[in-house]
Amino acid sequence: MAPAPTQGSRLRQITGWTAACALVITVLVYFFKSGGIPTLRQKEFDYLRPPASPPLDPIRPGEKVEDNTTATTGWSFDYRRDSNNYGLTATQCADAFPLLYQEVDRAVNYERRSGNVTEKDVEDAWFQNEAVKVLIYENQLHIINAHGVWTDHNRLRSLATLSALNRALASYHGQLPNVEFTIAIRDNPTGHALAYTRLSNQENLWLMPGYGFWSSPSSGLRSYAAFRSIPISRETDFLDKFQKLIWRGAQNISAGARIRNALIKESNGADWSDVKAIDWKNETSVREDFVLMEDHCEYMFAAETGDNGHNGRLKYLLNCNNIVIAHDLNGIEHFHHLLASSGDNQNYVKLRSDFSDLKKVMSSLTEPSFLEDRGRQIADNARRMFRDRYLTPAAEACYWRALIRGWASVQGFTPQLWDDSEESDRFVGGSDYEERSQRRNWRGMPFESYILMEEVEFNLSVENRHICVGSQTTFQKTI
Ligand SMILES: *[C@@H]1O[C@H](CO)[C@@H](O)[C@H](O)[C@H]1NC(C)=O
Ligand SMILES: *[C@@H]1O[C@H](CO)[C@@H](O)[C@H](O)[C@H]1NC(C)=O
Ligand SMILES: *[C@@H]1O[C@H](CO)[C@@H](O)[C@H](O)[C@H]1NC(C)=O
Ligand SMILES: *[C@@H]1O[C@H](CO)[C@@H](O)[C@H](O)[C@H]1NC(C)=O
Ligand SMILES: *[C@@H]1O[C@H](CO)[C@@H](O)[C@H](O)[C@H]1NC(C)=O
């Protein structure tokens, strides 16, 4: 049996514990005062540090803002690190893509000259078919109305565009202005709307990034970023590519028949030609002749056949590190002003709009002396300008946010989340209570629900919702 501890030994024990505790506390205090493990503290500091000042947003797109991102970190855009960063700050967007916002600036100037966008302008744009009216309120996307977007490729276009817009909002840490506008899904819309493509005289159309920047599965593309990763990972040297002109596509689609037939005719029989029409209804033609978009990058030359409608092919080709051959493009997309057909910065080769000079141009382009020098330079210029900068997913998100800010700067009305004009009286809690309650109507549907329901009325019964499960939807092949 152990002897009972004496008064003295208990005292010594307590003193011992107290000393040990004091020592541990002293060591801990010293450790944390001196900064703990230096690297760990540094990391936490970097992640947890609040911004020096609240992020500011430029009124004009592309304008530099004093959020000091560049000043504090010496940040500059590196495509290997930043290409897929959808959440660059306003300053980073301005620094990385100084030439990106020209179409937004143009539209802003146009609306300013004609006296701001009114609520009626937005209504008018909305009234035409195949459009989605949206509200961005406190950085949240709401779908106010949708029309003619459930069939064929319209469904693909509208869901892709809304998702891309939401991605640009959700990735952003700053505050964006509240805006309300109409997104035109079809080609050649009219009114003050956002559109994929415009003709030079359609000044009240605001160009938005094509839906293919999200994904274009009907053209064999998983997503835009996934597509880009393939040519980037292969990185074939320009001179090692097939010395041929590649083009594949449906021949007689309404918008592009003239130009497509011209290309097929002018390249017929040439030894540099790998131009073929695909008949999507003919299984043999699809199986034997279809070429994946990323495999277009294995060729030295790739042809673009855009017409008035939205074609979408050009942005893929410009990711290739090869020479894009195009005609005079009628339909303008948000990045077309960056194309240069001459000079030191030349980044594509421009032909007549009937391709009648194709044979002549191809014979000079395929000269070995041209390819090694000027040819390689054109391909390099295109890669640097488009693949490594202005056609990155990061640039796409920056463009969306500049578009929102630009629109807000000429928006002559204040967007509302609640529809107060139609305040409804409803009975709440059944007839026993007959409690009258003033309820405000929530306008539209948050994106998060719309993307599941594809419906803007929340109170519809489930059967009435436009849920599309594959069957009847056949996408028109436009590539
Ligand atoms: C940004 O940095 C500059 C120089 O480092 C400083 O003078 C300025 O006050 C800073 N602005 C803000 C908003 O923090
Ligand atoms: C497309 O149109 C051209 C010219 O009109 C015609 O020669 C060709 O047979 C048509 N192709 C198909 C697949 O209909
Ligand atoms: C289908 O395409 C193949 C390959 O291009 C072609 O040989 C064949 O004639 C086409 N069939 C029809 C019915 O057009
Ligand atoms: C145009 O709209 C902007 C932003 O709402 C506003 O600041 C400006 O005063 C308006 N200009 C005119 C002429 O109404
Ligand atoms: C749903 O609500 C809207 C507005 O609150 C109303 O106009 C519409 O008639 C309602 N639909 C149904 C099926 O109750």
Side-chain angles (χ1 to χ4, degrees):
M1 200 173 150
T6 61
Q7 190 84 5
S9 79
R10 182 162 285 164
L11 192 67
R12 270 198 306 282
Q13 225 171 27
I14 290 170
T15 317
W17 277 113
T18 311
C21 286
L23 184 67
V24 166
I25 288 168
T26 312
V27 166
L28 283 179
V29 165
Y30 179 77
F31 180 71
F32 281 111
K33 271 196 133 174
S34 69
I37 301 165
T39 50
L40 190 68
R41 190 187 65 142
Q42 189 60 41
K43 257 205 175 111
E44 280 182 358
F45 179 70
D46 279 338
Y47 283 118
L48 300 178
R49 182 167 53 108
S53 55
L56 301 170
D57 286 305
I59 297 305
R60 305 280 303 131
E63 189 182 64
K64 294 215 175 196
V65 236
E66 276 281 321
D67 66 3
N68 270 3
T69 325
T70 317
T72 50
T73 64
W75 185 89
S76 70
F77 183 76
D78 178 343
Y79 74 91
R80 282 160 300 212
R81 184 194 57 204
D82 304 318
S83 283
N84 292 344
N85 184 344
Y86 297 98
L88 298 182
T89 67
T91 307
Q92 288 173 327
C93 287
D95 275 354
F97 315 116
L99 308 175
L100 182 62
Y101 314 102
Q102 182 173 309
E103 267 298 323
V104 178
D105 284 344
R106 181 206 58 77
V108 165
N109 289 331
Y110 171 79
E111 301 290 4
R112 195 164 276 164
R113 280 201 308 280
S114 44
N116 279 355
V117 198
T118 64
E119 219 161 347
K120 186 170 174 303
D121 288 336
V122 179
E123 282 304 324
D124 287 351
W126 146 244
F127 269 121
Q128 8 161 2
N129 211 350
E130 302 168 66
V132 188
K133 188 172 169 184
V134 304
L135 165 70
I136 294 167
Y137 199 88
E138 294 175 351
N139 286 22
Q140 302 295 307
L141 179 60
H142 304 267
I143 287 73
I144 300 294
N145 232 325
H147 203 275
V149 294
W150 293 285
T151 55
D152 288 345
H153 61 295
N154 279 355
R155 176 166 180 262
L156 180 149
R157 288 181 173 203
S158 60
L159 294 182
T161 292
L162 291 170
S163 303
L165 174 54
N166 189 64
R167 176 170 62 189
L169 298 173
S171 322
Y172 188 58
H173 299 279
Q175 186 67 43
L176 289 163
N178 296 344
V179 290
E180 185 166 337
F181 49 60
T182 299
I183 293 173
I185 296 303
R186 70 167 178 199
D187 293 333
N188 288 314
T190 53
H192 299 252
L194 272 56
Y196 299 120
T197 314
R198 68 177 188 91
L199 300 176
S200 58
N201 63 355
Q202 293 176 315
E203 292 191 82
N204 51 12
L205 293 182
W206 293 59
L207 290 182
M208 61 183 162
Y211 56 90
F213 282 96
W214 178 258
S215 162
S216 195
S218 62
S219 315
L221 298 160
R222 290 176 174 82
S223 74
Y224 182 67
F227 156 73
R228 276 168 45 85
S229 69
I230 299 167
I232 289 172
S233 67
R234 288 180 187 160
E235 195 69 288
T236 333
D237 186 86
F238 175 67
L239 292 175
D240 291 339
K241 294 176 189 254
F242 301 126
Q243 200 176 313
K244 287 201 173 196
L245 175 68
I246 174 81
W247 183 85
R248 288 294 186 277
Q251 190 172 359
N252 291 337
I253 64 165
S254 56
R258 186 186 56 81
I259 193 73
R260 287 166 184 232
N261 283 313
L263 173 68
I264 290 165
K265 175 167 153 269
E266 295 299 330
S267 58
N268 189 24
D271 56 3
W272 45 256
S273 169
D274 194 349
V275 170
K276 276 183 197 159
I278 291 184
D279 178 357
W280 292 102
K281 295 197 183 81
N282 175 344
E283 272 181 40
T284 316
S285 163
V286 174
R287 193 176 57 245
E288 289 178 359
D289 295 333
F290 180 74
V291 174
L292 286 170
M293 194 50 80
E294 56 261 31
D295 292 340
H296 285 58
C297 298
E298 303 294 307
Y299 290 74
M300 271 191 194
F301 310 99
E304 158 68 5
T305 49
D307 216 312
N308 301 356
H310 183 68
N311 160 280
R313 183 197 310 258
L314 184 56
K315 64 175 167 299
Y316 303 117
L317 301 182
L318 290 170
N319 272 288
C320 275
N321 188 26
N322 63 10
I323 298 183
V324 171
I325 309 234
H327 51 95
D328 214 347
L329 300 166
N330 293 330
I332 306 168
E333 291 173 273
H334 79 280
F335 60 88
H336 281 194
H337 62 279
L338 300 166
L339 289 164
S341 61
S342 62
D344 285 348
N345 298 325
Q346 180 175 359
N347 50 36
Y348 83 115
V349 170
K350 182 172 160 183
L351 300 190
R352 294 208 194 100
S353 55
D354 57 358
F355 281 116
S356 57
D357 47 354
L358 180 65
K359 283 197 170 72
K360 198 169 118 261
V361 171
M362 281 307 294
S363 82
S364 53
L365 290 184
T366 48
E367 285 289 329
S369 60
F370 178 89
L371 286 177
E372 279 160 28
D373 181 24
R374 186 70 177 157
R376 185 196 278 280
Q377 191 195 346
I378 294 172
D380 274 353
N381 285 344
R383 180 173 47 76
R384 272 199 296 272
M385 177 67 100
F386 296 106
R387 192 192 80 183
D388 296 348
R389 193 165 291 266
Y390 286 96
L391 286 179
T392 55
E396 182 231 357
C398 286
Y399 184 90
W400 272 116
R401 293 187 292 262
L403 179 54
I404 291 165
R405 293 190 192 98
W407 180 276
S409 74
V410 291
Q411 182 173 254
F413 59 98
T414 309
Q416 304 294 335
L417 181 58
W418 300 96
D419 187 355
D420 288 328
S421 61
E422 287 176 31
E423 254 177 346
S424 58
D425 292 344
R426 292 188 199 163
F427 297 107
V428 173
S431 53
D432 286 351
Y433 296 92
E434 297 213 344
E435 179 191 336
R436 284 163 67 92
S437 163
Q438 288 264 308
R439 291 266 183 109
R440 295 190 300 175
N441 290 321
W442 180 283
R443 295 183 64 220
M445 181 70 77
F447 169 80
E448 288 80 351
S449 306
Y450 182 85
I451 203 73
L452 303 180
M453 297 165 59
E454 297 182 44
E455 185 51 73
V456 296
E457 298 285 3
F458 203 77
N459 54 356
L460 287 183
S461 65
V462 171
E463 309 85 78
N464 290 341
R465 289 173 181 163
H466 291 273
I467 295 194
C468 311
V469 255
S471 60
Q472 82 279 30
T473 314
T474 52
F475 298 123
Q476 185 188 331
K477 303 278 196 298
T478 52
I479 293 275

